[in-house]
């Protein structure tokens, strides 16, 4: 809800601060007093085009600040703020400020944070509905008519939305399967060759590492085989070191008792024989470990090179060849069984399409019934508003398949015919300013339970009418304002008398500068203003009495 409006240097308004409350607020004043300036100023805060002509003559810039109730957490206003990275406090008012400079530049702020005019327009669609001759949003935008009809008829669209998702999923699955089948079918000859080649090779996971390790071991054994044999010959050959040590030990055994040093020499030689024998044992063990069969080495190398070559061919790692063989074989299998799979998916799609068609048909029927009720409700509102010659209808037409959606297959648009025999056409195209506002009022009354923006503004909805029609307009405006905030620019005393708050717009001049001002009226001032609206320039006692009766009757 709009709680306050501050205006500085907009056209004829030098400085103006207004507070607004819930319910019906009326704005009155003499013709030419500048009521449109007030709406233009509010339009700036709501993202309208900032033109330098709105800046008061002699001022450097115009500034408009609109204050709204704090945005509800999780609501559309809060979502828009969060999407644009703007901070807000759910306990503090939402402040929108627009600055337009005399040179034509403009800036926008939301809670003192820079924002774009596009964001202001987005917020405005949730905060305020302005209904007038040139408004192209709200009820005049046919894109929202379908949702309004569904809300009016309390129609549950969830079954259609679910059926639509199932149908679209079935379409996607079939399209994917067909595309995949077409792709693999084109590569059938290559697949058969690749699968045959891989199956013949029969690669195993981890095989490359085993072959590489074994090959490296055999290659090392081949490289040092000669050196190990030379060492073995030096140690244990007929002329090797161990043989000579054993010969020396046998000689020393005969003479060791002849001298103590000879015994120690024999012990040292025995130790050398033991260590030499241990060394020989280790050399023999290494020879056994590094022993290789040239034929085995050649076979391992051939296998390893084949694995690596086919892995490079398929651009995978050798360890992935086994999985690749399974994958390619599966693709080949799908070619063989693809027809059956496609047939299954086609059957599922046909069933999903029938289910969506059935749910959409039920939704169309429900909308048709709701449209009849809405048309009757609007018709009942037209005669009291001096639109008894006009006709209203909710047109429901089928959409092309490319436009089917989770909301069904229907295009819904509100249409009117203003004269007997005249064709129906969209509201905005054939209604005059006064007629348009009254049509919108009739619709808003009928759709009141479906909600909308927290603030509604009607600009001169009572233009060209009076008496009973004006009274009917006032009664409906008051009824509509019962659950929201509604501001009306009016020339009708019958409408003005219905207001909870009454603002008077006047223009004054000091001979040099002309200014427009707005102020809230007291009860006495309000009776005087309604009397002026009844009698004109000269306010009579009779007009004052009639004004009092109007105020007492509402």
């Amino acid at each position: 809800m709009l709680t306050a409006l501050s205006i500085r240097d907009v056209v004829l308004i030098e400085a103006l601060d207004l507070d607004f409350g819930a319910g019906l607020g009326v704005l009155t004043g003499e013709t030419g007093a500048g009521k449109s300036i007030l709406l233009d100023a509010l339009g700036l805060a709501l993202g309208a085009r900032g033109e330098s002509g709105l800046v008061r003559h002699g001022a450097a810039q115009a500034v408009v600040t609109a204050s709204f109730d704090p945005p509800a957490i999780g609501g559309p206003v809060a979502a828009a703020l969060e999407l644009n990275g703007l901070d807000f406090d759910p306990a503090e008012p939402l402040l929108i400020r627009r600055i337009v400079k005399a040179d034509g530049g403009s800036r926008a702020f939301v809670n003192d944070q820079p924002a774009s005019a596009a964001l202001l327009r987005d917020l405005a669609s949730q905060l305020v509905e302005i209904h007038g001759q040139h408004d192209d949003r709200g009820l005049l935008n046919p894109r929202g008519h379908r949702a309004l009809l569904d809300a009016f008829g309390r129609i549950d669209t969830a079954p259609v939305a679910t059926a639509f998702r199932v149908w679209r999923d079935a379409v996607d699955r079939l399209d994917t399967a067909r595309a995949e089948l077409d792709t693999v079918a084109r590569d059938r000859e290559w697949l058969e060759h690749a699968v045959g080649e891989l199956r013949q090779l029969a690669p195993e996971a981890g095989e490359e590492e085993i072959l590489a390790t074994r090959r490296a071991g055999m290659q090392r054994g081949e490289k040092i085989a000669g050196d190990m044999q030379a060492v073995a010959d030096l140690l244990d050959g007929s002329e090797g070191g161990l043989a000579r040590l054993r010969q020396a030990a046998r000689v020393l055994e005969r003479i060791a008792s002849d001298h103590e040093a000879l015994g120690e020499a024999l012990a040292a030689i025995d130790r050398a024989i033991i260590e030499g024998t241990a060394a020989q044992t280790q050399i023999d063990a290494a020879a056994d470990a590094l022993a290789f069969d040239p034929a085995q080495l050649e076979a391992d190398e051939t296998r390893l090179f084949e694995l690596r070559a086919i892995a490079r061919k398929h651009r995978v790692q050798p360890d992935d060849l086994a999985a690749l063989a399974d994958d390619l074989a599966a693709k080949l299998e799908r070619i063989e069984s693809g027809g059956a799979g496609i047939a299954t998916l086609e059957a599922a799609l046909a069933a999903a399409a029938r289910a969506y068609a059935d749910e959409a048909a039920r939704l169309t029927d429900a909308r048709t019934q709701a449209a009849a009720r809405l048309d009757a409700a609007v018709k009942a509102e037209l005669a009291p508003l001096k639109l008894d010659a006009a006709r209203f209808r909710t047109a429901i037409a089928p959409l092309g398949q490319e436009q089917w959606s989770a909301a069904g297959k229907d295009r819904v648009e509100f249409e009117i015919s203003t004269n007997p025999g005249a064709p129906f056409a969209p509201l905005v195209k054939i209604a005059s300013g006064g007629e348009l506002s009254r049509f919108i009022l009739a619709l808003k009354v009928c759709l009141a339970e479906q909600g909308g923006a927290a603030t509604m503004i009607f600009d001169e909805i009572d233009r060209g009418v009076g008496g009973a029609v004006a009274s009917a307009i006032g009664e409906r405006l008051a009824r509509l304002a019962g659950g929201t905030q509604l501001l009306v620019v009016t020339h009708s005393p019958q409408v003005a008398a219905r207001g909870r708050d009454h603002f008077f717009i006047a223009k004054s001049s000091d001979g040099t500068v002309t200014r427009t001002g707005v102020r809230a009226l007291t009860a006495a001032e309000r009776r005087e203003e309604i009397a002026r609206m009844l009698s004109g320039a000269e306010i009579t006692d009779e007009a004052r009495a009639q004004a009092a009766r109007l105020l007492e009757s509402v």
Side-chain angles (χ1 to χ4, degrees):
M1 183 179 74
L2 177 67
T3 57
L5 184 65
S6 174
I7 304 173
R8 296 293 184 272
D9 296 319
V10 175
V11 194
L12 299 178
I13 298 177
E14 185 175 11
L16 180 63
D17 295 291
L18 293 173
D19 294 322
F20 298 97
L24 179 61
V26 297
L27 296 94
T28 66
E30 295 180 352
T31 301
K35 295 184 288 294
S36 63
I37 299 175
L38 199 63
L39 295 183
D40 289 341
L42 179 59
L44 277 179
L46 300 177
R49 183 177 178 182
E51 298 179 346
S52 60
L54 292 173
V55 180
R56 188 174 63 87
H57 180 68
Q61 62 183 24
V63 182
V64 180
T65 303
S67 176
F68 295 89
D69 284 337
I73 295 177
V77 173
L81 295 174
E82 292 171 350
L83 182 64
N84 286 272
L86 299 181
D87 296 329
F88 71 94
D89 186 340
E92 295 295 329
L94 176 69
L95 296 178
I96 300 177
R97 187 167 79 255
R98 186 80 179 278
I99 299 173
V100 178
K101 296 183 178 180
D103 62 7
S106 70
R107 291 181 296 163
F109 300 86
V110 175
N111 289 347
D112 291 325
Q113 302 164 92
S116 65
L119 173 59
L120 299 193
R121 290 190 291 273
D122 187 22
L123 294 175
S125 66
Q126 305 296 330
L127 296 169
V128 179
E129 291 181 23
I130 299 179
H131 298 296
Q133 185 171 4
H134 303 294
D135 181 52
D136 60 354
R137 297 175 297 177
L139 291 175
L140 300 188
N141 186 345
R143 285 181 295 181
H145 292 177
R146 184 170 61 192
L148 287 169
L149 177 63
D150 290 345
F152 173 82
R154 293 181 171 83
I155 298 171
D156 182 10
T157 60
V160 173
T162 300
F164 178 77
R165 287 193 296 271
V166 172
W167 172 51
R168 293 310 309 172
D169 287 345
V171 170
D172 291 341
R173 286 196 300 271
L174 180 58
D175 288 346
T176 299
R178 282 173 172 167
E180 184 178 87
L181 185 60
D182 289 344
T183 299
V184 296
R186 287 194 298 268
D187 299 331
R188 179 170 188 163
E189 184 177 345
W190 178 86
L191 280 171
E192 289 175 340
H193 171 76
V195 170
E197 185 178 47
L198 287 167
R199 290 304 189 216
Q200 183 177 2
L201 184 63
E204 297 178 1
E207 183 181 7
E208 186 220 13
E209 183 178 357
I210 294 171
L211 289 171
T213 301
R214 193 162 67 194
R215 171 176 173 259
M218 287 191 289
Q219 285 178 327
R220 287 196 303 273
E222 183 181 31
K223 181 178 179 181
I224 64 174
D227 292 337
M228 287 193 299
Q229 185 58 49
V231 172
D233 290 344
L234 289 172
L235 285 175
D236 202 29
S238 58
E239 297 296 326
L242 285 174
R244 291 181 179 276
L245 284 173
R246 291 187 184 100
Q247 290 175 359
R250 285 194 294 270
V251 173
L252 282 174
E253 284 176 351
R254 292 196 300 269
I255 62 176
S257 59
D258 294 337
H259 192 280
E260 181 180 355
L262 294 175
E264 292 177 356
L266 178 59
I269 289 174
D270 285 340
R271 289 195 298 274
I273 291 171
I274 292 171
E275 291 296 328
T277 302
Q280 181 61 50
T281 300
Q282 294 299 322
I283 291 170
D284 290 343
D288 291 340
L290 295 173
F292 71 96
D293 179 356
Q296 183 62 51
L297 175 59
E298 182 179 0
D300 284 355
E301 286 183 333
T302 299
R303 176 72 175 176
L304 184 61
F305 294 156
E306 286 178 345
L307 287 173
R308 289 175 174 174
I310 200 167
R312 285 193 300 272
K313 177 180 178 180
H314 291 285
R315 298 180 181 179
V316 297
Q317 295 298 317
D319 278 353
D320 296 330
L321 287 173
L324 176 65
D326 293 338
D327 183 54
L328 295 181
K331 288 184 177 181
L332 194 58
E333 175 70 20
R334 283 196 292 273
I335 293 177
E336 304 300 332
S337 60
I342 294 295
T344 300
L345 291 173
E346 286 175 339
L349 173 58
R354 286 192 300 272
Y356 175 67
D358 291 344
E359 291 296 344
R362 280 191 283 272
L363 179 57
T364 299
D365 289 342
R367 283 173 174 157
T368 301
Q369 296 172 26
R373 296 195 301 273
L374 178 59
D375 293 353
V378 174
K379 180 181 179 181
E381 293 290 329
L382 294 181
L385 296 176
K386 201 178 178 181
L387 293 170
D388 45 315
R391 294 175 296 156
F392 171 88
R393 75 176 182 187
T394 305
I396 301 176
L399 291 167
Q401 183 171 343
E402 69 281 358
Q403 295 177 289
W404 294 355
S405 69
K409 302 180 177 182
D410 307 313
R411 176 188 289 108
V412 176
E413 186 168 3
F414 299 148
E415 296 180 340
I416 61 171
S417 169
T418 55
N419 296 296
F424 280 92
L427 279 171
V428 71
K429 290 187 177 181
I430 62 173
S432 66
E435 288 177 328
L436 179 59
S437 295
R438 280 178 278 150
F439 264 111
I440 290 174
L441 176 60
L443 268 171
K444 290 299 294 186
V445 168
C446 296
L447 297 170
E449 293 185 4
Q450 280 61 62
T455 298
M456 286 184 288
I457 299 175
F458 282 86
D459 183 13
E460 298 188 350
I461 189 173
D462 49 10
R463 177 183 297 178
V465 301
V469 175
S471 181
I473 291 174
E475 186 274 329
R476 282 155 177 78
L477 288 172
R479 191 197 322 166
L480 189 58
T484 183
Q485 180 189 58
L486 197 154
L487 302 175
V488 182
V489 177
T490 180
H491 292 289
S492 169
Q494 291 90 343
V495 172
R498 292 276 183 175
R500 178 182 178 275
D501 298 311
H502 192 150
F503 300 92
F504 179 68
I505 305 172
K507 187 161 57 176
S508 63
S509 175
D510 59 7
T512 303
V513 178
T514 301
R515 297 179 176 87
T516 290
V518 183
R519 61 187 177 87
L521 298 182
T522 64
E525 290 172 332
R526 186 178 181 197
R527 187 191 67 173
E528 196 73 4
E529 167 61 6
I530 293 175
R532 181 198 64 78
M533 297 172 73
L534 286 166
S535 64
E538 183 179 350
I539 304 176
T540 64
D541 291 340
E542 182 181 353
R544 290 188 177 97
Q546 188 176 354
R549 286 193 296 271
L550 272 178
L551 289 168
E552 291 171 359
S553 66
V554 297

